[in-house]
């Protein structure tokens, strides 16, 4: 094989190796942790890595109610860390551990990770988030850890639709509840009146009318 052919073969092999390496990285656990768009906010400070950081509001524009922070927290250190607080645009959020957690705190184990947002996972909730953040904006989110301290990133704000429907707030707006309540009350009211009238006719008027009709026929 000539030297030019050998150089070409080596270059092709190097390119193939690079592509395979990138593909392997993209298929790792980081890329699929939340199964949402991979271009969301991410940062690393010391032993802590935060990926897929977003703020998720109610699915319909104008609906009041809470918003949530969704992200994946990684701890590459040798000791556990606790998520002590989260603020969005300087507004404090409420922290709740995952269902079934042994502690009332959100703890990121050494060499492990914690998912924020989604059914059964730990949650970071802004009780009045819909009035504090706006869809399409970028908000500063500050995570404070027990050992690393403050970690700040810029997170996009999305409604709980499409990719983000499974990561949105679990609480629905009160307006939706009242809207669903009114038809049911009206429907039940309408249903009660016909059924009451029908039962009354069936139990009283119709049998007596039928009895008098049979007596009249017998008399004739």
């Amino acid at each position: 094989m000539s030297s030019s052919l050998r150089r070409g073969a080596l270059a092709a092999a190097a390119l193939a190796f690079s592509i395979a390496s990138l593909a392997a990285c993209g298929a790792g656990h980081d890329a699929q942790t939340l199964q949402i768009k991979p271009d969301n906010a991410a940062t690393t400070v010391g032993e802590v890595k935060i990926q897929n950081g977003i703020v998720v509001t109610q699915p319909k524009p104008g609906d009041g109610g809470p918003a949530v922070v969704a992200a994946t927290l990684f701890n590459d250190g040798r000791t556990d860390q606790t998520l002590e607080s989260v603020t969005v645009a300087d507004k404090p959020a409420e922290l709740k551990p995952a269902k079934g957690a042994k502690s009332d705190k959100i703890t990121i184990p050494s060499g492990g990770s914690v998912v924020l947002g989604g059914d059964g996972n730990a949650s970071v909730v802004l009780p009045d988030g819909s009035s504090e953040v706006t869809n399409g904006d970028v908000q500063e989110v500050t995570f404070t850890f027990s050992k690393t301290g403050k970690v700040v990133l810029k997170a996009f704000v999305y409604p709980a639709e499409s990719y983000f429907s499974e990561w949105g707030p679990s609480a629905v707006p009160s307006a939706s509840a009242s809207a669903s309540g009114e038809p049911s009350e009206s429907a039940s009211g309408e249903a009660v009146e016909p059924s009451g009238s029908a039962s009354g006719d069936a139990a009283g008027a119709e049998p007596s009318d039928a009895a008098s009709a049979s007596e009249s026929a017998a008399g004739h």
Side-chain angles (χ1 to χ4, degrees), residues 3 9 72 78 88 97 101 108 137 155 172 180 182 188 192 195 212:
S3 60
T72 308
R78 297 183 178 181
V88 179
I108 306 92
D137 284 356
V172 296
S180 62
E182 289 175 1
S188 62
V192 168
S195 63
S212 61

Side-chain angles (χ1 to χ4, degrees), residues 26-36 49 51-52 71-74 113-117 121 166-167:
H29 62 87
D30 291 0
Q32 296 181 357
T33 301
L34 289 184
Q35 296 182 352
I36 59 179
K49 179 191 298 181
Q51 288 194 340
N52 293 324
T72 308
L73 312 179
F74 297 91
S113 63
V114 167
V115 175
L116 303 178
N121 297 323
E166 296 182 4
W167 308 101

Side-chain angles (χ1 to χ4, degrees), residues 189-207:
E190 293 173 1
V192 168
E193 292 176 3
S195 63
S197 173
S199 62
D201 292 343
E206 290 182 359

Side-chain angles (χ1 to χ4, degrees), residues 56-57 68 118 160 164-171:
V56 187
T57 62
V68 299
F164 314 106
S165 59
E166 296 182 4
W167 308 101
S170 59

Side-chain angles (χ1 to χ4, degrees), residues 8-194:
L10 289 174
L15 178 60
F17 178 78
S18 299
I19 294 173
S21 299
L22 289 174
C25 292
H29 62 87
D30 291 0
Q32 296 181 357
T33 301
L34 289 184
Q35 296 182 352
I36 59 179
K37 291 184 178 180
D39 58 348
N40 291 304
T43 189
T44 300
V45 175
E47 299 169 341
V48 168
K49 179 191 298 181
I50 302 176
Q51 288 194 340
N52 293 324
I54 56 173
V55 179
V56 187
T57 62
Q58 298 290 334
K60 294 182 179 180
D63 279 350
V68 299
V69 175
T72 308
L73 312 179
F74 297 91
N75 178 10
D76 293 333
R78 297 183 178 181
T79 57
D80 297 350
Q81 291 216 46
T82 300
L83 179 62
E84 296 183 338
S85 67
V86 176
T87 60
V88 179
D90 296 327
K91 302 293 184 180
E94 297 177 355
L95 309 185
K96 294 182 180 180
K99 290 182 180 179
K102 297 180 180 179
S103 172
D104 59 352
K105 297 182 178 180
I106 299 177
T107 301
I108 306 92
S110 170
S113 63
V114 167
V115 175
L116 303 178
D119 187 32
N121 297 323
S123 63
V124 176
V125 181
L126 290 168
D128 195 23
S130 294
S131 65
E132 296 171 350
V133 296
T134 303
N135 292 337
D137 284 356
V138 177
Q139 294 289 350
E140 183 174 276
V141 183
T142 302
F143 300 81
T144 303
F145 297 89
S146 55
K147 291 181 172 56
T148 301
K150 292 184 178 181
V151 178
V152 182
L153 56 75
K154 302 286 188 177
F156 283 98
V157 181
Y158 298 103
E161 298 177 337
S162 185
Y163 290 98
F164 314 106
S165 59
E166 296 182 4
W167 308 101
S170 59
V172 296
S174 57
S176 297
S178 65
S180 62
E182 289 175 1
S184 62
E185 289 176 2
S186 174
S188 62
E190 293 173 1
V192 168
E193 292 176 3

